[in-house]
Amino acid sequence: MKHYMNYNFIANQLDQAAFHAKSIEQISHTQALNLEEAYAIQSISIGKRYERGEMKTGIKLGFTSKAKMEQMGVHDMIWGKLTSTMHYESGSDLPKSKFIHPRAEPEIAFRISKDIDQLLSEENYLDYIDGIAVAIEIIDSRFTNFKFSLEDVIADNCSSSGYIVGQWAAPTSNIQGLKMELRVDNTVVQEGNSDAILGNPLESLYAASRLALENGENLLTGQVVLAGAATPAVYIETGQTIEASAEHLGKVSIQVK
Ligand code: OOG
Ligand code: MG
């Protein structure tokens, strides 16, 4: 019980930091957490969003590419939840004031067409997915200076704060070896390849199904899986237009207002 109270306190701090766009000190500076505790805090913290009426819209994987692991100095795959208030339409405005120090990164998204009730693999994923798209993820660590340990960032719902999905394509299109780019005001600021994501972004989808099943986390029809960034993330500023593209899948963009 004592532990639970403590988790709740931290979960509330993280939730309020996100809600008010005000950073907090890293948890690991004052308290040691293990991975299990970090995910428990994440779950309580996101529960507070659900209580306010936000709905779960999917899950995101993080650190599925070497580029991201190296940028952030961590070494393991992580996962967090996406909610309805994190979703922005392509071409719309992203209000910078809702974020602390947002960064953008180019991703691949999958749309679920049938509630996931088994491990996905090459053999069965087409029964569960009806769309693949290029996406922008907006990450915004709730920790000062965007600095964290693996456990910190997990407790913080893996920095999830926004996502924008491009036009859905049929899931049969090959998504290996796609050139991916991130542009700020039409200048390429990051270039990568979809293979940077676990060798093939589909591996991220399979991992998402495994993590969801292992953790009793539903992945339901209409929800989205973000596979993780193919390149390091970049800080974004008011006035900028941010665009991500993936060969064959097209483009997606947002204006920072
Ligand atoms: C954590 C989130 C990582 C990704 O795509 O690798 C992530 C962070 O970098 O703040 O979303
Ligand atoms: Mg990401």
Side-chain angles (χ1 to χ4, degrees):
M1 198 58 192
K2 183 161 167 279
H3 262 125
Y4 177 77
M5 298 294 286
N6 200 14
Y7 291 177
N8 193 53
F9 180 80
I10 301 170
N12 195 49
Q13 278 189 316
L14 285 164
D15 178 58
Q16 288 300 301
F19 191 79
H20 297 291
K22 216 167 170 311
S23 68
I24 58 173
E25 200 192 331
Q26 287 177 58
I27 307 159
S28 58
H29 283 175
T30 51
Q31 180 161 352
L33 290 178
N34 62 32
L35 291 179
E36 202 185 329
E37 292 170 320
Y39 278 109
I41 292 168
Q42 177 192 118
S43 174
I44 298 169
S45 187
I46 297 310
K48 296 178 191 296
R49 287 176 175 253
Y50 299 154
E51 278 166 27
R52 285 196 295 271
E54 292 184 36
M55 283 171 326
K56 183 175 148 191
T57 54
I59 70 171
K60 60 82 73 76
L61 270 67
F63 304 137
T64 48
S65 68
K66 274 210 184 71
K68 278 291 300 182
M69 286 193 252
E70 278 165 14
Q71 181 183 34
M72 304 317 290
V74 299
H75 54 275
D76 241 340
M77 197 195 295
I78 57 177
W79 65 281
K81 289 130 198 152
L82 301 173
T83 72
S84 44
T85 60
M86 298 179 194
H87 178 246
Y88 292 88
E89 293 294 336
S90 183
S92 69
D93 294 345
L94 187 84
K96 174 108 185 326
S97 61
K98 286 201 173 168
F99 303 87
I100 303 165
H101 37 208
R103 285 170 144 168
E105 50 189 27
E107 303 228 1
I108 300 286
F110 298 96
R111 184 172 63 189
I112 299 168
S113 56
K114 181 181 170 195
D115 297 358
I116 295 181
D117 51 8
Q118 60 170 318
L119 272 179
L120 299 194
S121 66
E122 207 181 333
E123 283 71 48
N124 66 5
Y125 80 93
L126 288 173
D127 296 339
Y128 292 88
I129 294 300
D130 70 355
I132 299 184
V134 63
I136 298 170
E137 187 183 23
I138 307 296
I139 51 172
D140 191 31
S141 177
R142 267 54 73 165
F143 301 116
T144 310
N145 297 330
F146 226 112
K147 290 262 167 22
F148 44 68
S149 69
L150 186 64
E151 291 79 12
D152 286 332
V153 68
I154 289 168
D156 186 24
N157 195 31
C158 307
S159 309
S160 312
S161 69
Y163 68 100
I164 306 101
V165 179
Q167 192 93 47
W168 293 108
T172 43
S173 52
N174 180 15
I175 53 167
Q176 260 195 297
L178 306 184
K179 187 173 165 191
M180 293 178 67
E181 288 177 335
L182 186 70
R183 288 187 190 75
V184 174
D185 296 335
N186 266 328
T187 302
V188 177
V189 292
Q190 292 288 351
E191 292 185 82
N193 188 287
S194 62
D195 290 357
I197 307 163
L198 296 176
N200 179 349
L202 281 172
E203 292 295 337
S204 249
L205 175 68
Y206 308 155
S209 73
R210 178 177 55 77
L211 291 165
L213 290 169
E214 280 172 8
N215 293 283
E217 189 68 34
N218 290 329
L219 281 179
L220 303 176
T221 307
Q223 292 183 345
V224 164
V225 173
L226 286 184
T231 74
V234 299
Y235 283 111
I236 58 176
E237 303 298 340
T238 306
Q240 291 176 336
T241 297
I242 312 297
E243 182 187 274
S245 62
E247 222 179 335
H248 309 312
L249 291 176
K251 304 173 185 182
V252 57
S253 69
I254 196 102
Q255 274 91 244
V256 191
K257 282 284 157 73

